[in-house]
Amino acid sequence: MTNSPDSADFIPWYFRSLDFEQLWRDYPPPPTYFQTTARLSRDELRALQEKRFLATVARGWEIEFFKRHWSEHGLEPGDICGLDDLAKIPVYDVGHIRKSIERNPPFGDFMGISPADGKRMPLVLQTSGGTTGLPRPMLYAPQDRETMAILGGRRLAMHGVRPGDMVLVTLSLGLGNGGMAPREAMWRYSGAVPVMTGSGANTPTRRQIEIVKAWGISVLLGFPAYLRHMALVARDEFGIDPRSLGIRLVGTHLGMENREQLEDLWGARAFDMYGTHESGMLAAECTQQTGMHAMEDAFILEVANPETGQPMPDGEKGTLYITTLYKYGAPQIRFNVNDISAWHTDACPCGNTMRRLKRIFGRNDNMVKLRGVNVFPEAVGAAVVEDRRTNGEYFCFVDRVGEAGTDRMDVWVEVTDAAADREHVRTDLERRMKEVLGVKVQVTPVAKGELDEFTMTSQSSKVKRLLDRRK
Ligand SMILES: [Zn+2]
């Protein structure tokens, strides 16, 4: 690193904060990425991961949170000699992070940097999307933020975003990384032009559609629920077929949402990706649409049995553990992110050797136990969106009812097909959900727009799907 931030006379200007040429060799942006890192053999990749992993563990020993957590589990410096020892490192999750913040307010001791480090390097703060109270803060050092931008640039290039594309970013602008991270990735590393409309609360949906038309937008980024909402506003309120608006591709976090329906609405291909505010861009789909290539030079991803923590056999579903290999400020080392996925086991025809994650099947955090059965709201959504009489909007209420205290889930669903018989919609969906979920739920068809006060689809990119009233 030239102009080392550790030297006393360092000035915290971003362009002096890193050896950018070296960073680009270490984490090649597109298009170089496709000829270099994406072509590594598995052995070459393993060697690269090994080196970065050991550096990350050494960094962990400098951070109070890891020192304490690891020592409590009997780990000593020197115990971890390579990736073969990965499983010796105790896992942690968001509960540990919350406790770290409570113990050392306001930023916790899980970060190796604090605002005072701004004197020797430029820092930026973004947060998790908090629902109650203050959201969880995260500070990013220059190395962290710039590498995140590179990984985000790779994602866009993998989807097929090209220099000169006009990209509408319908993700939240504010404390969360939602729209901020894609903007940095796009203008630095893709050549495409970010058009930051933000969510429906930042720019009304009708205005967003006018912008798509007037400025020649060819790519949309956003969550499926909002992009669906936007297409339906274009169709039903403007009388414009969204397919005529010239959108070529859609970048989104599909999760359990229906890709075909979104592609159908916009007449564009939709690509899945997976990222978190702490980690950045973890994985993204290439133009083959056969799963998300993990950024394996920047992360170790493990798929583990949520009960035992043991690795799942390749191809089987489990909860994801994340180890960052590129982060300096706040590395994550075996962080249980509580999202569920699995590895594809075949090679991708695109030639990229990075392994592919299957879609994110759900968040363990969202899971509710209903009469002994694990239910994910995402699975409810997948069943709703299959039914073309609905617009895919749904909301789940969970209650404890009667003297016996039986668990009950009510799923409200917006029906947009005016000709549809609501009683038929109800019985069809109840039957389908019994098949999919393995437990009976009650379905209530409602009119278009009635759920917005619960889901916030038109206003927020963080859509809500569940209210558990049993607590
Ligand atoms: Zn591929």
Side-chain angles (χ1 to χ4, degrees), residues 28-34 146-171 177-196 217-222 227 248-253 269-275 280-289 292-295 352:
T32 315
Y33 162 75
F34 294 103
E146 198 61 31
T147 313
M148 280 173 71
I150 292 172
L151 304 181
R154 289 180 185 175
R155 172 249 180 152
L156 294 166
M158 285 161 80
H159 289 355
V161 175
R162 292 292 169 257
D165 274 330
M166 294 287 283
V167 183
L168 196 81
V169 183
T170 68
L171 296 154
N177 261 321
M180 300 299 189
R183 180 177 189 271
E184 290 166 25
M186 202 180 305
W187 73 267
R188 289 186 206 174
Y189 292 112
S190 82
V193 183
V195 180
M196 306 303 296
I217 302 291
S218 51
V219 177
L220 302 177
L221 297 189
L227 296 175
R248 192 178 85 248
L249 71 90
V250 168
T252 189
H253 170 66
R269 296 179 74 198
F271 296 92
D272 200 1
M273 67 85 182
Y274 174 54
M281 186 59 57
L282 289 146
E285 266 188 337
C286 68
T287 52
Q288 301 289 323
Q289 294 178 311
M292 302 179 282
H293 288 286
M295 309 282 176
N352 188 333

Side-chain angles (χ1 to χ4, degrees), residues 351-388:
N352 188 333
T353 53
M354 302 291 120
R355 285 188 298 169
R356 279 135 51 234
L357 280 181
K358 294 183 183 169
R359 58 172 62 201
I360 301 299
F361 295 100
R363 295 205 52 118
N364 273 329
D365 292 354
N366 285 353
M367 191 183 78
V368 288
K369 266 230 189 299
L370 202 62
R371 304 193 290 280
V373 178
N374 295 336
V375 174
F376 290 98
E378 291 91 340
V380 171
V384 173
V385 97
E386 276 173 13
D387 192 315
R388 297 296 173 103

Side-chain angles (χ1 to χ4, degrees), residues 65-272:
F65 173 85
F66 290 109
K67 260 197 268 185
R68 187 178 55 244
H69 185 56
W70 293 351
S71 300
E72 279 169 10
H73 287 80
L75 205 66
E76 285 177 27
D79 281 356
I80 304 299
C81 301
L83 278 172
D84 286 340
D85 298 325
L86 181 62
K88 290 183 188 165
I89 301 177
V91 174
Y92 68 106
D93 61 23
V94 69
H96 294 86
I97 296 297
R98 287 204 191 98
K99 271 190 208 120
S100 164
I101 293 173
E102 274 166 31
R103 198 183 292 124
N104 301 276
F107 298 117
D109 59 0
F110 63 95
M111 292 191 263
I113 49 175
S114 75
D117 289 300
K119 290 185 191 122
R120 56 183 192 97
M121 66 174 107
L123 301 176
V124 64
L125 182 149
Q126 303 276 173
T127 72
S128 64
T131 43
T132 52
L134 284 178
R136 291 191 314 283
M138 173 66 86
L139 285 164
Y140 302 87
Q143 174 185 322
D144 308 334
R145 204 65 198 175
E146 198 61 31
T147 313
M148 280 173 71
I150 292 172
L151 304 181
R154 289 180 185 175
R155 172 249 180 152
L156 294 166
M158 285 161 80
H159 289 355
V161 175
R162 292 292 169 257
D165 274 330
M166 294 287 283
V167 183
L168 196 81
V169 183
T170 68
L171 296 154
S172 65
L173 311 172
L175 281 172
N177 261 321
M180 300 299 189
R183 180 177 189 271
E184 290 166 25
M186 202 180 305
W187 73 267
R188 289 186 206 174
Y189 292 112
S190 82
V193 183
V195 180
M196 306 303 296
T197 46
S199 70
N202 296 119
T203 309
T205 303
R206 295 175 64 95
R207 177 55 48 83
Q208 303 227 19
I209 292 158
E210 289 165 357
I211 287 171
V212 168
K213 237 180 121 177
W215 295 353
I217 302 291
S218 51
V219 177
L220 302 177
L221 297 189
F223 280 96
Y226 185 70
L227 296 175
R228 205 161 50 223
H229 171 74
M230 202 172 148
L232 297 178
V233 169
R235 193 189 70 192
D236 301 339
E237 295 181 28
F238 281 87
I240 298 173
D241 179 356
R243 303 172 65 95
S244 72
L245 287 168
I247 300 301
R248 192 178 85 248
L249 71 90
V250 168
T252 189
H253 170 66
L254 273 175
M256 291 298 285
E257 299 271 355
N258 185 316
R259 185 202 304 268
E260 288 71 29
Q261 193 210 33
L262 197 59
E263 293 190 328
D264 232 37
L265 273 172
W266 286 101
R269 296 179 74 198
F271 296 92
D272 200 1

